[in-house]
Amino acid sequence: MTKAVRKITLSPSRDIPFDKLVLSQSNVRRIKAGVSVEELAEDIARRGLLQSLSVRPVLADDGTETGKFEIPVGGRRFQALSLLVKQKCLAKTPPIPCIVRDAASDILAEDDSLAESMHRVALHPLDQFRAFVALRDKGQSDAEIAAAFFVTPQIVKQRLKLASVAPALLEVYAEDGMTLEQLMAFTVNPDHARQVQVWDVIHSSWNKEPFQIRRMLTETSVRASDRRAVFVGVEAYEAAGGTMLHDLFQGDDGGWLEDPALLDRLVTEKLHAKAETVAVEGWKWIEVALDLPYGYSHGLRSLSGDPAPMTDDEGADHAKLLAEYRALEEEYAGQDEIPDGIDTRLGVLETEMEKIETRPLIFDAEEIGRAGAFVTLDRYGALAVYRGYVRPEDEPVDVTAVQDGADPAVAGQGDDRDLTDGYDSAAHAGTVIMSGGQPIGGDLPEDEDDGALKPLPERLVIELTAHRTLALREAIGRSPDVALILLLLKIVTDTFRTSSASGSCLEASVRHIYMPAQASDLKDSVVAKLVDERHAPERSRGA
């Protein structure tokens, strides 16, 4: 038996004057959500009413129609029209397209209102993206699109950014194969091949979080917050032809630099340029390095300089800051808590005074001629220059010690030292700038034979040293107390000395252990500074 097909009769449509319409108390929507009434009114004013109202006749107590119509479906549209009438943008009696439900219908007004709201499906983000792209392709700007749909230009930019995702991945997203957050993560790198490659790796993995996708897509790039990028500057990097990656969907600390090789070249060039300015000060050598390891100054003697005096202006500024600081301290001395604003101001004053009090060191000109400096970056990407370090081979030499063979550090070295003026004559021949221990510019100073005193022949020095060593062995063997003291002296001297010209004949050694793999900021760590502070007094005595 064939089942009878139910015939459907649609409600008729007609135009009803605006002043004949009233809101229905049967509308189930009570809480505001989505686009505001004001924004909806603005949109209707721009493009007109896109959807008819669903209305029912208002009946009198005796069941007759009153000529008024209530609106159970479309209340927000009616409110927007009312706002336009109030603003005199719309007449009071214009015809409004409506779908008129029969007053005797079995379907309740609340039923219609609920169905209209529940059956509404939000636009898929991918459809929104494609619509934005279509509007942009037809000449609309991001700002115009944003204004038309009452969103911010940033949201439009984000949706349009989805165009940088590979079409294959957009299809995966359309089929619910990935989340919107995962799709947005792929926009960080516009390389479609790399995007697909990353998805192929992670789509069956347990770790498919957006942050993992971003990490894989930027693993060969350098963050803009990296100290190298801070030192060079993103603008300089881009001016040199470098390209950037940006994430429009979350904070990216300025983005990523795509060309690490270019960045490293710019860092090297800028460090070398800075080293040239430091070389003007007259140092014998300058070591340029992106990272200085912990213990970089081991075996070098540190010069003691005098702080440069303040200028009159600096002194006046410091006195003014100090006066304000003391006045605030006295004013709030008796209070349990200092107001946040005052506490912040005290911190600013301390910082400003510390900047003035931190004076550059002035070194002896003769010492500068035999010493060197290190040019590097600190952990924050700022230039760091460590001045005043003397290598053992550049220490002043005692002529008498060389002649009697007491200084093994210079014995047998030939004619490469000028013993008349007390230090290496090459110190005045120009600064040697090095990187990795190798000169990077200029020529090494040439040795000159200016008639200076020559060391004793190497064979004679060796024979005399052998005699003296044997005699010392015999003497120490008869004095255990002296031997113990000499051993302690040797160990302490090798640990804290900054010069190799110790003159000791005792063969005992202290082995320093340095970490071959270390973080670039190890030398600036709290523990490293504590060790340096504890050793500083001994080093100063050893110097």
Side-chain angles (χ1 to χ4, degrees), residues 463-479:
E463 292 176 353
L464 293 175
T465 301
H467 281 282
R468 185 175 61 173
T469 300
L470 185 60
L472 288 173
R473 285 178 181 174
E474 195 279 331
I476 293 174
R478 287 186 283 105
S479 304

Side-chain angles (χ1 to χ4, degrees), residues 218-509:
T218 59
E219 61 186 356
T220 59
S221 305
V222 177
R223 275 195 173 275
S225 56
D226 184 275
R227 61 196 182 104
R228 293 171 293 168
V230 172
F231 179 62
V232 171
V234 172
E235 292 182 358
Y237 165 80
E238 291 182 318
T243 55
M244 298 287 297
L245 298 176
H246 291 286
D247 190 347
L248 291 181
F249 295 94
Q250 64 174 228
D252 59 7
D253 290 334
W256 293 266
L257 287 70
E258 281 197 280
D259 194 339
L262 173 61
L263 176 62
D264 287 339
R265 177 173 66 81
L266 295 176
V267 170
T268 301
E269 291 175 354
K270 190 171 181 179
L271 280 176
H272 291 172
K274 296 293 184 181
E276 293 287 351
T277 63
V278 176
V280 176
E281 300 172 11
W283 302 102
K284 181 176 182 180
W285 54 268
I286 294 176
E287 179 73 26
V288 178
L290 178 61
D291 296 306
L292 288 177
Y294 174 64
Y296 67 93
S297 62
H298 175 70
L300 307 181
R301 176 169 63 89
S302 177
L303 299 182
S304 298
D306 297 320
M310 294 184 187
T311 64
D312 293 341
D313 291 341
E314 290 174 333
D317 291 341
H318 187 274
K320 183 178 179 180
L321 294 170
L322 183 59
E324 182 182 353
Y325 186 88
R326 289 176 175 172
L328 291 174
E329 275 191 326
E330 293 176 2
E331 181 178 352
Y332 294 93
Q335 299 186 15
D336 295 335
E337 292 186 4
I338 300 177
D340 292 340
I342 300 302
D343 188 53
T344 301
R345 179 57 183 168
L346 289 174
V348 172
L349 292 173
E350 287 179 350
T351 302
E352 294 299 323
M353 286 190 292
E354 185 177 353
K355 288 181 181 178
I356 298 176
E357 292 166 358
T358 304
R359 312 302 301 159
L361 296 179
I362 299 177
F363 300 99
D364 180 79
E366 184 175 291
E367 290 276 47
I368 289 178
R370 66 168 65 95
F374 295 93
V375 175
T376 185
L377 296 184
D378 66 14
R379 67 173 71 183
Y380 305 108
L383 180 70
V385 181
Y386 306 110
R387 296 173 171 85
Y389 292 93
V390 182
R391 299 177 297 195
E393 61 268 27
D394 296 327
E395 291 287 3
V397 180
D398 185 349
V399 177
T400 305
V402 175
Q403 288 180 335
D404 64 11
D407 191 347
V410 298
Q413 291 186 356
D415 303 341
D416 61 346
R417 286 185 171 267
D418 183 349
L419 306 179
T420 58
D421 60 3
Y423 65 96
D424 194 340
S425 62
H428 294 296
T431 303
V432 177
I433 300 178
M434 301 176 292
S435 179
Q438 300 297 320
I440 59 176
D443 299 324
L444 287 174
E446 298 180 357
D447 294 333
E448 297 181 1
D449 185 2
D450 55 1
L453 294 176
K454 304 299 189 296
L456 296 174
E458 181 180 359
R459 176 62 180 269
L460 178 57
V461 170
I462 293 175
E463 292 176 353
L464 293 175
T465 301
H467 281 282
R468 185 175 61 173
T469 300
L470 185 60
L472 288 173
R473 285 178 181 174
E474 195 279 331
I476 293 174
R478 287 186 283 105
S479 304
D481 293 342
V482 174
L484 181 59
I485 292 173
L486 288 175
L487 177 60
L488 179 60
L489 174 63
K490 174 66 175 175
I491 293 174
V492 172
T493 302
D494 284 357
T495 302
F496 296 106
R497 71 181 178 181
T498 59
S499 171
S500 62
S502 63
S504 174
C505 62
L506 182 64
E507 290 185 359
S509 64

Side-chain angles (χ1 to χ4, degrees), residues 24-185:
S24 173
Q25 299 303 312
S26 301
N27 195 312
V28 300
R29 189 184 293 276
R30 296 286 188 267
I31 300 173
K32 293 181 179 181
V35 178
S36 69
V37 171
E38 291 78 9
E39 291 174 341
L40 181 56
E42 186 178 340
D43 188 72
I44 292 174
R46 175 176 175 267
R47 71 177 85 246
L49 189 64
L50 298 179
Q51 187 176 357
S52 301
L53 307 181
S54 179
V55 301
R56 289 172 180 251
V58 177
L59 303 179
D61 293 339
D62 59 359
T64 60
E65 294 187 5
T66 62
K68 295 282 187 179
F69 296 83
E70 64 176 354
I71 309 169
V73 179
R76 291 180 66 253
R77 275 165 275 158
F78 176 74
Q79 290 177 329
L81 291 170
S82 300
L83 181 59
L84 292 174
V85 171
K86 184 178 180 180
Q87 295 173 347
K88 297 184 179 181
C89 297
L90 186 68
K92 294 182 179 180
T93 60
I96 306 299
C98 299
I99 303 296
V100 183
R101 170 78 76 176
D102 188 351
S105 173
D106 294 336
I107 305 298
L108 298 176
E110 290 84 356
D111 194 342
D112 283 348
S113 177
L114 182 62
E116 193 269 345
S117 297
M118 290 188 63
H119 293 171
R120 183 183 302 166
V121 178
L123 188 66
H124 194 281
L126 190 57
D127 291 331
Q128 187 186 53
F129 143 67
R130 286 168 173 163
F132 284 172
V133 170
L135 292 174
R136 186 185 61 181
D137 291 344
K138 292 182 179 181
Q140 289 196 14
S141 66
D142 293 352
E144 290 173 333
I145 297 174
F149 294 93
F150 304 101
V151 295
T152 64
Q154 178 67 11
I155 291 178
V156 175
K157 291 181 183 295
Q158 289 176 345
R159 290 292 182 261
L160 293 175
K161 184 69 173 177
L162 295 176
S164 65
V165 179
L169 299 185
L170 292 178
E171 293 303 320
V172 172
Y173 171 63
E175 297 172 2
D176 297 327
M178 71 171 69
T179 66
L180 178 59
E181 288 72 21
Q182 290 172 325
L183 183 70
M184 292 188 299

